[in-house]
Amino acid sequence: MTTGMAEMERELERFPSSVVDEFRRAADKLRPKLSDFDVASWANQGVEIAKQTVRSWEAASEYFKASPEVLELLNATQLLDWGRQGGALCQESPSLAVAFFRASPIAFKSLRPRNMQSWANLGRGFYRGTWKSSALSAKFFEISGPVLESANFSELERFAELIDFLSHKSADLAAECMAMGEHVMPKVGGDRLAFVRLCRAVAEANWREVKGCFEAVPRVTAFIQEGQRAKFMDMTADMAKSGMPNISMFIGETATSLGRANAASQGRLLDLAQNLIPKSYEAAAAFLRNAPALIGRISEGQVEAWYDNGLRILADNPDGGMAYFKIESNTSEEVIEMLSSAVELERIQEILRMYCRGLAGAEIDIANSKDMADKNIGWVSEDHATTEGTTVYLPAEMNKFGSKDENFSFFKVVSTHQVAHIEFGSFDYDFEAPGSRFQDSRHAREADVQKQKQERAQARAQRQPEQQDDFPLTPGLAALPGAHQPAAGQPPVAQQGEGSAEAGFLTDMGRFFDMFAVRKLALDIFTVLEDARLDFRVKAEYPGVAPAYRRIQEDALSLRPDIKDMPLQEAMVEFLVRFSLHQLKGLPVPTEYIDHANVIAEVAKRLLHIAASVEDTSEATIRVYDIIADLPNQQMDEEDWSETDVQDQDLSEDQLEDLLQQMREMRGDGQGESEQQEGGEQDYESPPQVDFRGDFKPELSQVLNTLRQQAGKGQSGQQMQMSPEMLQQMLANSPELELDAESGQFNNDLAEFIQNLVKEAGSQKSEEPGQGHGPIPHQEEEGGALEAKEPKTFVYDEWDFRAGDYKPRWCIVREKPMAEGDTQFYTDTVHSYGRMMNQIRRQFEMLMPEEYKKVKHLPDGDDFDLDAVVESIIDKWAGESPTDKVHWRRNKVERDVAVAFLLDM
């Protein structure tokens, strides 16, 4: 060590030991890289810094500690310049110099040496001699490195200017925004300057809202495309300058709304909103919140047409324009309705309700499919129509076709098909009732199935005599009414369910599906055949809807998947689907199984008769199932397919039975259901459903209707016959729930499911006279469109005198049946308030009806106005021009005062 270095080290020994320790460590690292002169100059700078003030030794210690890392990024000259900048900061405040030296190793990874002095001056600019300003300056140096990793120095300068502006308003707010800037500035990417401009505009308008802008950035980056963020923030800055309050709320709501549109649409919507700002920033905000959602209902060009119409209204009536862009006026909704091809269920719900009630001849209700899915009682689709026997559930909106008429026709066809389930008895299936189109085969098949089950049970008992089946309850079922646990080793108690023909079955549908080994296949076949029967019946009995029905069938047929890509069993079910959609020519079928397909078609044709019933559908299901289940479910090669046509002639029942018998004889021994899943076969999967036919759940619907009947009897004191154990056993094997569980849609908690089912069955609507339907929910000051969710509740438009238009669905009316009164109340009132009645009568008598008032000074009328005649003669004698308005007449405009009072009431 040279003499000069030793002297400087001795001077540093006057300070805490950490200073000398850092000096020695740094000197050892710098000597190999710097000349002796540069090392000496460097050391002298540190000593001068340490001697400046009482606490400046802390700055010197950080200076020595950071020097080796800084030298990796700067040359010797720049290192010494860096020390001089730190020394100047130390003269202001040692804490500033400490933060400067500590942040330098990270900052100089991105900061160019020529910007070193500017960087130091930016930090110095925050210091005003207080501890808060000192902390703010230190925080600036701390965040500079992370910010500069993604930003350039010019952007850092603009950010520093923003924080400096805020620091004059509130040092605490400036510190919070400075801390958030470390994370926010990198997030906004290349739009940092736009973000800073936005915050500066907000700060100048209302500095307290700037923090909200920092907090809203994640939504901007999450929902607005990168190329549109700067445009959005610049537009928001203009709105802030225009005086818009709650900017942070606007940013969050609008960014989320714009997230529904793609990048190109976002840019166009922002351009349109920008044009609105000079006229009304509130209208611009409302437009951006609502327009992205409209793109789903109308095209982007149609949104611009809607915008242009609102612009004209805004110019004439600012309040009307505001209501228009908020979509809180009838005019706005009428324009959207005119432009849109979509049909909303809410708008046609009453029409469809009357239509469905007329078809079914029963009190059928119409509801949104989402309402059914939310109940968690087995129906899970929000986009498909369905019914459980009392209510038809339809999608909230239909925009499948390019015109309103087509979409409305689709709604009509869909609702007609669902009502057909009710009108033509899909849910009234009776296992014991005979069919009219087929010979009964259900009882013989049931006997065979029961015999096979007994033989298998006996075989298991012989193999494992010490083990017997038991049926533990799903956890949570014990909480249900009537739940009980069978004794160990005992089967569940079979109870007689209403409508079932044999103990142990909850419904006739359950009894029927229990006869099939592959219940999913049986349900699919039954559903397709029943839909075919209903479609034929609807077109036969309601020819008015038949053309629309055929168009929808043709459209559904065009969307069916390629049958050649399916395994054999699924392909044969798809063949049946296409036949049910009236494709009779060119049906693809594996060449080897054309005879099977023709027999299936002949069976299905027996249902296309006005006398066919749901019991006939079950008989047809048995016959078709036996054919399809016997086939191997394996993929067929492309060259193995042919096309076939369905014959026009109908076979007699005996001829059909002969064909079926031939099919049975063609089966090889050991080729039935028991040999399935061998030779590369696949598990059976249901083909895609036909869209307009919706969800059909016959077994669940019968269970729900049975529960409703029992719940009604329970109110009269009778005990429910359907126990939770029986429900559990049925639902565990239900193919209707199995399909939904495989798709991950069904909640597999059977206990909760059964509770929901029982609750739905027991729900009753209050119809007691004099009772309302619950309290009116409180609405916020801003208000909003209402929805009639309760029985006997209706929504109406409300006149907005400022906008000069109606607010759609803005008030709600609850129909409240009143108890019938008696004449005694009227008599008592007249007797008690007789004097007041006389006074009221006198006031009414003093009202002069408009038709009895004279209108004078008219050029012609009923008679002369004598006063006017006299004045005219005097004027003539005085040499002035007399008036010709010397007549009077009665006002013929009638205004009945009683009508006005009645309207007010």
Side-chain angles (χ1 to χ4, degrees):
M1 182 181 294
T2 62
T3 303
M5 292 290 288
E7 291 178 358
M8 284 184 278
E9 184 174 331
R10 283 194 295 272
E11 286 196 47
L12 292 174
E13 288 176 351
R14 296 185 304 165
F15 304 102
S17 60
S18 60
V19 180
V20 179
D21 293 340
E22 293 294 346
F23 170 75
R24 291 169 181 166
R25 280 194 289 268
D28 292 340
K29 293 179 181 180
L30 295 182
R31 284 194 186 96
K33 301 177 182 180
L34 297 176
S35 65
D36 291 342
F37 177 78
D38 290 334
V39 171
S41 300
W42 165 81
N44 185 60
Q45 276 189 342
V47 173
E48 292 299 323
I49 290 173
K51 294 192 299 183
Q52 282 185 6
T53 63
V54 176
R55 303 290 298 182
S56 60
W57 60 268
E58 295 174 347
S61 179
E62 287 295 334
Y63 168 76
F64 293 134
K65 183 178 180 179
S67 293
E69 295 182 64
V70 172
L71 186 60
E72 298 291 333
L73 305 167
L74 305 177
N75 58 35
T77 303
Q78 293 165 346
L79 178 68
L80 295 176
D81 186 32
W82 169 71
R84 285 191 292 272
Q85 297 297 333
L89 288 172
C90 189
Q91 292 178 356
E92 296 281 347
S93 170
S95 60
L96 268 63
V98 169
F100 175 79
F101 290 133
R102 187 176 294 164
S104 294
I106 297 176
F108 283 121
K109 292 179 181 179
S110 306
L111 185 68
R112 295 183 179 182
R114 67 169 181 267
N115 294 324
M116 183 192 308
Q117 182 176 356
S118 299
W119 180 51
N121 290 336
L122 286 176
R124 181 186 291 110
F126 294 109
Y127 182 67
R128 297 185 181 87
T130 63
W131 68 269
K132 285 188 176 182
S133 63
S134 176
L136 188 63
S137 178
K139 187 64 179 178
F140 171 77
F141 287 123
E142 179 185 336
I143 70 160
S144 293
V147 170
L148 287 171
E149 289 178 0
S150 58
N152 57 45
F153 186 73
S154 175
E155 293 168 339
L156 181 65
E157 283 183 310
R158 302 287 83 75
F159 178 71
E161 291 172 2
L162 168 66
I163 300 301
D164 183 62
F165 180 86
L166 291 176
S167 67
H168 287 81
K169 305 293 184 181
S170 169
D172 294 333
L173 176 64
E176 288 185 89
C177 293
M178 178 82 79
M180 288 189 287
E182 180 180 355
H183 307 286
V184 169
M185 291 292 282
K187 280 185 179 179
V188 294
D191 303 313
R192 284 175 288 270
L193 287 178
F195 171 72
V196 173
R197 287 196 298 270
L198 166 62
C199 293
R200 182 60 184 262
V202 174
E204 292 174 351
N206 184 359
W207 56 268
R208 292 179 176 85
E209 289 197 37
V210 176
K211 182 181 176 182
C213 294
F214 279 81
E215 294 172 340
V217 162
R219 289 200 177 188
V220 176
T221 57
F223 295 109
I224 298 181
Q225 300 293 329
E226 187 172 357
Q228 307 300 330
R229 292 171 192 165
K231 184 185 293 185
F232 171 74
M233 288 187 281
D234 286 340
M235 184 204 69
T236 307
D238 291 340
M239 298 177 82
K241 294 174 183 177
S242 299
M244 182 177 182
N246 300 322
I247 285 292
S248 58
M249 182 184 298
F250 165 79
I251 293 173
E253 292 178 353
T254 307
T256 304
S257 177
L258 283 172
R260 303 176 184 176
N262 56 37
S265 298
Q266 286 181 358
R268 184 58 185 148
L269 294 178
L270 289 172
D271 289 338
L272 294 173
Q274 186 70 48
N275 295 333
L276 269 177
I277 293 176
K279 302 173 178 64
S280 170
Y281 64 79
E282 293 176 323
F287 170 76
L288 284 178
R289 278 195 293 267
N290 294 302
L294 291 181
I295 295 179
R297 299 171 57 186
I298 56 180
S299 67
E300 189 173 326
Q302 291 170 331
V303 170
E304 293 189 22
W306 174 77
Y307 168 89
D308 292 338
N309 193 69
L311 209 58
R312 290 191 291 271
I313 294 175
L314 186 67
D316 297 335
N317 181 356
D319 290 319
M322 271 299 304
Y324 181 93
F325 285 112
K326 287 182 176 180
I327 316 184
E328 292 180 357
S329 73
N330 271 352
T331 302
S332 181
E333 292 205 344
E334 286 171 1
V335 173
I336 295 171
E337 184 71 13
M338 179 185 66
L339 295 172
S340 172
S341 62
V343 176
E344 296 179 358
L345 175 63
E346 185 180 12
R347 289 182 171 272
I348 61 171
Q349 190 165 351
E350 290 302 319
I351 297 174
L352 290 180
R353 181 180 287 113
M354 291 187 291
Y355 172 73
C356 292
R357 288 178 177 179
L359 288 181
E363 289 294 314
I364 303 298
D365 202 3
I366 300 292
N368 193 325
S369 295
K370 186 178 183 301
D371 298 341
M372 190 60 163
D374 291 343
K375 293 178 181 179
N376 188 26
I377 56 173
W379 284 264
V380 297
S381 176
E382 299 181 4
D383 302 319
H384 292 95
T386 191
T387 183
E388 31 63 74
T390 61
T391 302
V392 172
Y393 294 90
L394 300 172
E397 182 181 86
M398 182 51 56
N399 197 14
K400 185 180 179 71
F401 302 99
S403 70
K404 283 188 181 297
D405 289 341
E406 290 177 303
N407 286 317
F408 179 75
S409 292
F410 188 86
F411 259 129
K412 186 166 64 174
V413 168
V414 167
S415 56
T416 302
H417 186 83
Q418 296 304 318
V419 171
H421 283 298
I422 303 171
E423 183 181 4
F424 302 128
S426 295
F427 305 125
D428 299 331
Y429 175 72
D430 186 351
F431 193 91
E432 299 295 336
S436 62
R437 303 290 292 165
F438 293 94
Q439 298 176 6
D440 178 36
S441 64
R442 282 167 280 172
H443 292 84
R445 184 182 184 90
E446 184 182 43
D448 292 340
V449 171
Q450 293 299 330
K451 182 178 178 181
Q452 293 173 10
K453 288 183 178 180
Q454 291 173 3
E455 291 174 353
R456 287 196 293 269
Q458 292 173 0
R460 285 196 300 269
Q462 291 174 1
R463 289 194 302 267
Q464 297 177 326
E466 72 283 358
Q467 295 182 7
Q468 295 191 17
D469 295 336
D470 61 359
F471 299 83
L473 278 176
T474 300
L477 278 178
L480 291 174
H484 64 276
Q485 179 71 34
Q490 297 296 325
V493 179
Q495 302 185 36
Q496 181 72 23
E498 184 169 333
S500 64
E502 182 176 326
F505 295 109
L506 302 182
T507 63
D508 290 276
M509 281 293 182
R511 181 181 175 187
F512 172 73
F513 285 120
D514 192 60
M515 297 189 303
F516 301 97
V518 185
R519 293 168 64 94
K520 185 193 299 185
L521 175 60
L523 175 63
D524 289 345
I525 295 171
F526 180 86
T527 300
V528 176
L529 292 173
E530 180 66 3
D531 286 335
R533 180 182 78 89
L534 297 178
D535 288 351
F536 175 83
R537 191 80 180 271
V538 166
K539 288 186 289 185
E541 298 205 13
Y542 303 111
V545 79
Y549 218 102
R550 282 191 286 270
R551 287 195 301 271
I552 300 301
Q553 283 184 314
E554 292 171 2
D555 178 74
L557 190 59
S558 67
L559 300 176
R560 298 307 298 170
D562 189 353
I563 194 172
K564 297 180 181 180
D565 294 336
M566 298 180 176
L568 184 55
Q569 288 185 357
E570 298 170 28
M572 297 304 277
V573 176
E574 178 62 25
F575 168 87
L576 191 58
V577 172
R578 289 167 180 255
F579 171 81
S580 72
L581 292 172
H582 209 64
Q583 181 182 355
L584 307 179
K585 303 290 185 182
L587 284 162
V589 179
T591 306
E592 183 180 353
Y593 300 102
I594 288 180
D595 292 340
H596 297 71
N598 288 332
V599 175
I600 290 173
E602 291 300 330
V603 173
K605 283 166 62 177
R606 296 285 296 171
L607 295 173
L608 306 184
H609 192 277
I610 199 167
S613 64
V614 67
E615 287 76 22
D616 290 308
T617 302
S618 68
E619 291 291 342
T621 300
I622 294 173
R623 291 157 173 79
V624 174
Y625 176 89
D626 287 341
I627 297 173
I628 296 179
D630 192 51
L631 304 177
N633 194 36
Q634 58 190 17
Q635 203 75 35
M636 306 297 292
D637 295 332
E638 182 74 23
E639 60 273 11
D640 294 337
W641 290 81
S642 302
E643 292 185 353
T644 186
D645 298 337
V646 177
Q647 300 299 321
D648 292 335
Q649 61 182 7
D650 291 332
L651 299 179
S652 67
E653 187 174 347
D654 292 337
Q655 291 174 323
L656 179 59
E657 290 300 327
D658 290 340
L659 278 177
L660 292 169
Q661 183 61 34
Q662 294 175 17
M663 283 287 135
R664 298 185 189 102
E665 293 173 355
M666 288 171 56
R667 300 179 190 174
D669 295 337
Q671 299 300 316
E673 296 174 0
S674 61
E675 301 295 327
Q676 293 291 321
Q677 309 305 327
E678 295 183 2
E681 295 184 20
Q682 304 177 22
D683 291 334
Y684 172 79
E685 297 294 337
S686 302
Q689 69 183 103
V690 180
D691 191 31
F692 80 88
R693 290 173 174 170
D695 292 332
F696 177 46
K697 298 184 183 292
E699 189 174 4
L700 268 177
S701 298
Q702 278 203 337
V703 169
L704 186 58
N705 289 330
T706 302
L707 284 171
R708 283 171 175 165
Q709 293 172 6
Q710 294 177 353
K713 291 181 179 180
Q715 292 175 357
S716 301
Q718 297 187 20
Q719 185 177 359
M720 277 190 71
Q721 300 173 356
M722 191 178 292
S723 69
E725 296 94 326
M726 297 175 69
L727 280 171
Q728 180 193 11
Q729 188 173 356
M730 185 281 290
L731 296 173
N733 299 321
S734 172
E736 299 171 9
L737 297 186
E738 180 184 354
L739 299 178
D740 298 330
E742 289 176 357
S743 64
Q745 295 175 305
F746 174 62
N747 182 355
N748 56 8
D749 187 344
L750 278 179
E752 179 183 352
F753 176 80
I754 292 173
Q755 288 173 345
N756 293 338
L757 203 61
V758 173
K759 179 181 178 182
E760 174 65 17
S763 61
Q764 299 292 329
K765 298 177 181 178
S766 174
E767 298 290 348
E768 297 180 10
Q771 297 297 320
H773 298 285
I776 298 177
H778 172 71
Q779 296 296 324
E780 299 295 337
E781 285 298 321
E782 289 296 324
L786 302 173
E787 183 177 354
K789 296 182 177 180
E790 301 175 12
K792 294 190 176 182
T793 304
F794 308 91
V795 290
Y796 289 89
D797 300 343
E798 182 176 343
W799 179 255
D800 184 351
F801 70 92
R802 296 183 183 86
D805 203 345
Y806 283 95
K807 289 182 176 291
R809 303 178 301 283
W810 213 256
C811 56
I812 195 162
V813 176
R814 287 172 170 79
E815 183 179 322
K816 180 180 178 181
M818 300 297 293
E820 185 176 352
D822 54 42
T823 57
Q824 186 62 37
F825 172 78
Y826 170 78
T827 304
D828 294 342
T829 303
V830 171
H831 178 74
S832 301
Y833 300 98
R835 181 177 299 178
M836 183 180 295
M837 289 179 61
N838 291 331
Q839 294 176 358
I840 295 173
R841 184 180 295 111
R842 189 177 300 111
Q843 294 296 326
F844 273 98
E845 289 173 350
M846 292 174 63
L847 292 174
M848 177 66 72
E850 294 287 339
E851 61 180 321
Y852 294 115
K853 289 185 178 180
K854 290 182 179 180
V855 180
K856 299 181 179 182
H857 302 289
L858 299 175
D860 58 74
D862 298 338
D863 202 348
F864 285 104
D865 182 354
L866 295 180
D867 292 337
V869 170
V870 171
E871 291 179 3
S872 176
I873 293 174
I874 294 174
D875 289 341
K876 184 176 180 180
W877 288 350
E880 297 182 3
S881 177
T883 179
D884 61 345
K885 296 180 180 181
V886 294
H887 295 82
W888 64 264
R889 70 164 177 262
R890 297 187 186 278
N891 187 354
K892 299 298 182 181
V893 179
E894 297 183 3
R895 293 183 176 87
D896 195 333
V897 178
V899 172
F901 276 91
L902 177 62
L903 290 175
D904 188 60
M905 292 286 288

